[in-house]
Amino acid sequence: MPTSTSRAFHARRPKQSGFKSTHNSRRSSKGNGVRKAYIHPSKFINRTPAAARAVEYTPTHLFNDFALTSELKSNLAAIGFTKPSAIQDQAIPLVLDGKDVIGLANTGTGKTAAFLLPILSQIDPRNDRMSVLVMAPTRELAQQINDECRRFSTGMRIFSTVVVGGTNIDRQIRDLKREPHIIIGTPGRLNDLLNRKALRLDDIRHFVLDEADRMLDMGFINDIRKVASLLPDSRQTLCFSATITPTIQTLVHDFLKNPETVSVRTGETSDHVMQDIIEANDKMHKHELLKDMLAKDEFEKVLVFGETKFGVQRLSDSLRNSGITSEAIHGNKSQSQRQRALKAFKTNTVKVLVATDVAARGLDIPNVSHVINFDQPATYEDYVHRIGRTGRGGAHGTAYTFVDKR
Ligand code: AMP
């Protein structure tokens, strides 16, 4: 069932073209002589998703029922968290009990609070310095976890710091010297700091792997193993992941002790996203079509995905030149530039954020009205992940994918 918008843009099924079907074929086949297997987009673009509807979860606890500290409870009340989400409802008691936990949950389910709240509750601000280590795949996700942490721990005299690549390491070394209670970092930078002897992990009592599947996708396995090998044996380990793959299973087997599993996956996020394709003759045509779409009022907050860092920057510049407010995030931007771009998009200062897959991983951006795949994703997994940026929390979302007219 094509949408009215897609009709306006002549969305039809293409005869050929599609997403490359393997993980190894991320790059365009142009010029490298490698033949790529194609999957027709109509095979997986779900044009008739379930009606957008918030799925109500009835928690078995209230925050007050948990053995969380009274300061945390009053902070939660002040923030406006009235009832626990599914993952919080099920994971918080286990984490408070000291259990190792595997949490199967996507971003947007409240998983950050599911691990932060029970951990914060167990920290003695006077004695537990450098006692929590959280590993996350991207700089932005690490920053988001830190923002949540500060919100939850207001007035509790618990300090946290973020150590990620792309920002000045000397400053991070100085921050670590002050011995924060909680360290949140990306695997590469954590290893860098360990190699420089600027970080010691002897006192870590809680270790969290957030978005473990993404970290593995991004090739961080050795960094994770190295960090984990330096942690005390007598620690609690929590592993959050959207999927359980054989590699995750191995990781869990190696790092977690008698873990309890909590799963709140309720099918693919894309079930609530209207999806369609838009045929374009060539790159110029894609630009024109995109600008026409973005001129419409219903395209309120639009995340556009491109394949390369340069392509993403060029596209964002071109949109700006046409009078459409846009920012870009990709690996060639400094951490502060990325943060500024993200903030501008989150606060609706700009209408469009153009991003590469890696830069957009794990981001929690509420109310994205549309996801547009300007360049096709490399794999089905990437497709689902991209379009899962819209239609969150049961809200309505729409995703369009440009394909070549053949
Ligand atoms: P996360 O999945 O941890 O990235 O959380 C997604 C969003 O939901 C964040 O903006 C959280 O602040 C928010 N959130 C998490 N738990 C709750 C809750 N129990 N009540 C209301 N909002 C929540």
Side-chain angles (χ1 to χ4, degrees):
M1 188 185 62
T3 63
S4 57
T5 314
S6 67
R7 266 200 299 274
F9 291 99
H10 310 294
R12 265 177 283 122
R13 287 178 187 203
K15 298 220 165 43
Q16 273 176 4
S17 93
F19 298 31
K20 295 147 205 165
S21 67
T22 65
H23 268 286
N24 298 332
S25 53
R26 283 180 177 259
R27 297 275 155 241
S28 152
S29 60
K30 273 187 209 123
N32 62 10
V34 181
R35 251 184 85 100
K36 302 283 163 36
Y38 278 84
I39 299 171
H40 195 288
S42 60
K43 290 266 194 298
F44 50 80
I45 290 188
N46 177 6
R47 291 171 187 236
T48 51
R53 162 176 58 86
V55 182
E56 271 292 312
Y57 172 78
T58 312
T60 54
H61 306 90
L62 298 173
F63 282 117
N64 274 337
D65 299 333
F66 296 130
L68 298 170
T69 60
S70 53
E71 291 134 301
L72 259 180
K73 284 179 182 166
S74 61
N75 284 348
L76 289 176
I79 294 166
F81 280 22
T82 49
K83 59 177 192 179
S85 70
I87 186 82
Q88 293 159 6
D89 195 35
Q90 293 165 51
I92 289 175
L94 297 171
V95 182
L96 281 172
D97 227 17
K99 299 254 173 22
D100 281 3
V101 175
I102 305 166
L104 295 176
N106 306 83
T107 306
T109 52
K111 67 182 163 59
T112 318
F115 63 79
L116 280 181
L117 296 176
I119 288 177
L120 284 168
S121 214
Q122 293 174 70
I123 295 179
D124 172 354
R126 276 159 312 194
N127 298 318
D128 293 335
R129 292 189 166 259
M130 312 283 276
S131 68
V132 181
L133 178 66
V134 181
M135 252 188 176
T138 63
R139 302 158 187 187
E140 284 80 8
L141 182 59
Q143 190 58 53
Q144 260 171 224
I145 296 169
N146 194 39
D147 293 345
E148 287 280 81
C149 186
R150 294 199 169 166
R151 243 159 43 107
F152 298 149
S153 63
T154 305
M156 290 168 62
R157 304 205 58 74
I158 292 176
F159 302 105
S160 58
T161 199
V162 173
V163 291
V164 294
T167 48
N168 188 306
I169 197 164
D170 295 329
R171 200 177 137 195
Q172 291 173 6
I173 293 172
R174 276 202 302 280
D175 286 348
L176 288 172
K177 282 209 176 107
R178 298 169 66 195
E179 306 209 312
H181 302 88
I182 303 173
I183 301 150
I184 304 160
T186 46
R189 179 54 62 98
L190 285 167
N191 266 292
D192 209 349
L193 289 161
L194 286 167
N195 292 337
R196 291 168 186 242
K197 308 253 179 292
L199 172 64
R200 51 172 190 84
L201 303 174
D202 316 347
D203 297 327
I204 298 292
R205 295 199 295 127
H206 308 275
F207 176 45
V208 182
L209 287 159
D210 196 12
E211 305 214 347
D213 48 350
R214 291 280 150 203
M215 287 198 278
L216 296 184
D217 269 2
M218 291 165 79
F220 284 134
I221 182 75
N222 290 332
D223 287 328
I224 297 174
R225 285 196 175 278
K226 239 174 93 186
V227 169
S229 72
L230 298 171
L231 295 169
D233 269 349
S234 60
R235 58 159 203 264
Q236 179 178 44
T237 307
L238 313 174
C239 177
F240 288 82
S241 182
T243 52
I244 275 279
T245 61
T247 332
I248 299 269
Q249 256 158 356
T250 316
L251 206 69
V252 161
H253 176 263
D254 293 351
F255 300 154
L256 278 70
K257 288 189 192 130
N258 305 320
E260 302 264 358
T261 302
V262 172
S263 174
V264 299
R265 285 184 308 173
T266 52
E268 285 172 348
T269 333
S270 53
D271 287 353
H272 298 295
V273 179
M274 293 292 299
Q275 301 154 56
D276 217 332
I277 55 165
I278 296 172
E279 286 186 313
N281 298 327
D282 52 29
K283 201 151 199 134
M284 274 269 281
H285 191 205
K286 283 206 287 189
H287 275 263
E288 283 165 25
L289 290 171
L290 180 64
K291 283 171 192 167
D292 287 349
M293 292 162 91
L294 294 175
K296 296 182 174 239
D297 286 345
E298 75 225 45
F299 286 77
E300 280 170 22
K301 191 167 187 173
V302 186
L303 187 54
V304 178
F305 282 97
E307 190 181 12
T308 65
K309 300 169 194 172
F310 287 112
V312 159
Q313 188 61 53
R314 257 203 314 269
L315 180 55
S316 179
D317 293 343
S318 152
L319 293 175
R320 276 180 182 224
N321 289 338
S322 313
I324 297 162
T325 53
S326 171
E327 286 285 352
I329 51 168
H330 52 72
N332 280 356
K333 288 210 156 185
S334 72
Q335 182 58 13
S336 60
Q337 285 173 322
R338 288 202 214 189
Q339 259 164 11
R340 262 203 307 279
L342 193 61
K343 190 166 173 210
F345 187 57
K346 276 190 167 177
T347 55
N348 301 323
T349 314
V350 297
K351 172 172 179 158
V352 181
L353 184 70
V354 191
T356 56
D357 288 288
V358 172
R361 253 165 209 170
L363 295 185
D364 175 35
I365 307 169
N367 309 320
V368 172
S369 66
H370 293 75
V371 166
I372 298 176
N373 294 313
F374 188 80
D375 295 321
Q376 290 182 14
T379 64
Y380 177 64
E381 254 191 23
D382 283 343
Y383 175 74
V384 172
H385 200 256
R386 283 181 179 189
I387 73 167
R389 311 287 94 200
T390 183
R392 303 183 76 164
H396 178 78
T398 308
Y400 292 113
T401 301
F402 280 113
V403 297
D404 296 334
K405 199 181 268 178
R406 300 254 170 136

